[in-house]
Amino acid sequence: MKSNRREFLKNASILTVSGVVSGSLLNNIANAKPLFSIDGVGKNHFVLPKLPYSYDSLEPFIDKQTMEIHHSKHHQAYIDKLNKAIDETKISVNTIEELCENVSKLSNALRNNGGGHYNHSLFWKLMKPNSNGKPIGNLADSINKEFGTFENFKLKFSDAAKGIFGSGWAWLVINKSKKLEIGITANQDNPLMDIAEFKGYPILALDVWEHAYYLKYQNKRADYINAWWNVINWEQAEVNFNKVF
Ligand code: MN
C-alpha cells in the first residue's frame, strides 16, 4: 500500500494540468484559451469571486438568504476543498477551465470541487438585477435560428432543467459543430469536462441543486426556473457567445 501511494504521489507531482490542453475542446471550438477567465483565479489557488451585485438585489426572484448562503457558504466550501485537493495531489493548475478539461486524470475531489467552482463562478456572472429579459445581439439571432423563437428556446431549456433527476445543472452551449445546444450534467460536472457526455462551451448555466432554491421555493423547482428567467444577464451571455465566434 505504502509504495503504491508513493508511486501515485510521484506521478501526481509531475502531472501539470495546464500542459495537456492541446487538442482540447476549447481549442477545437475557439482557437483560444482561456476563453473565459473567471474572477478570482490564481495559479494553484482559487479564491471566491465577489458577486457583481448585492445579495438582495435579485429579489423577489431569488431571495437574499439563498444568495448569501449559496455564495458565501456553498461556493466557498467548493473552493476550500478544491484548494486542499490541489495541495494534496501537488498538481499544477493555471486555470479552472484546464482542470475541468482534464478531469478524467484527476481525483473525484478535484472533479466535484473544481466543477463546483467553475459552475458557480459562471452562474453568478450570468445573473443581474433589472435584466432586460431577452437575449440580445448575435446570441439572439442564433437562438432564433436554432430554436425558431425565444419562447420555444425558453420552453426547451426549462424542460431540460426540470427533468434533471437529483442535483445538477442545465446548460446552453456551443457544441463542436458551432451550434447552440441545450443539455444537462449531473452533480457539479460541466460541459467542459472530458468525462461529460454532454460537451460544449457554456453560454448559459442554471443551478438546479436544491440549495439554489429550497429556502424560497421548497420542492417547487419549476417556480424557481420560471423566476430565473427574470434575472439573466443577457449581456454576459452575449459576451460568452462572442468569445467563440
Ligand atoms: Mn449551487
Side-chain angles (χ1 to χ4, degrees), residues 70 74 78 120 169 188 207 209 211-212:
H70 199 174
H74 288 282
Y78 291 120
H120 288 89
W169 290 74
Q188 293 297 352
D207 187 347
W209 282 57
H211 68 224

Side-chain angles (χ1 to χ4, degrees), residues 87-129:
D87 287 346
E88 282 169 2
T89 45
K90 297 184 167 61
I91 56 164
S92 176
V93 185
N94 282 312
T95 70
I96 194 67
E97 292 93 333
E98 289 171 352
L99 185 147
C100 291
E101 289 206 297
N102 294 282
V103 85
S104 65
K105 307 178 190 81
L106 305 173
S107 67
N108 279 338
L110 289 165
R111 172 180 175 173
N112 294 334
N113 296 297
H117 177 44
Y118 177 84
N119 298 349
H120 288 89
S121 300
L122 195 68
F123 184 53
W124 308 135
K125 287 181 89 155
L126 280 163
M127 294 191 288
K128 65 175 273 197

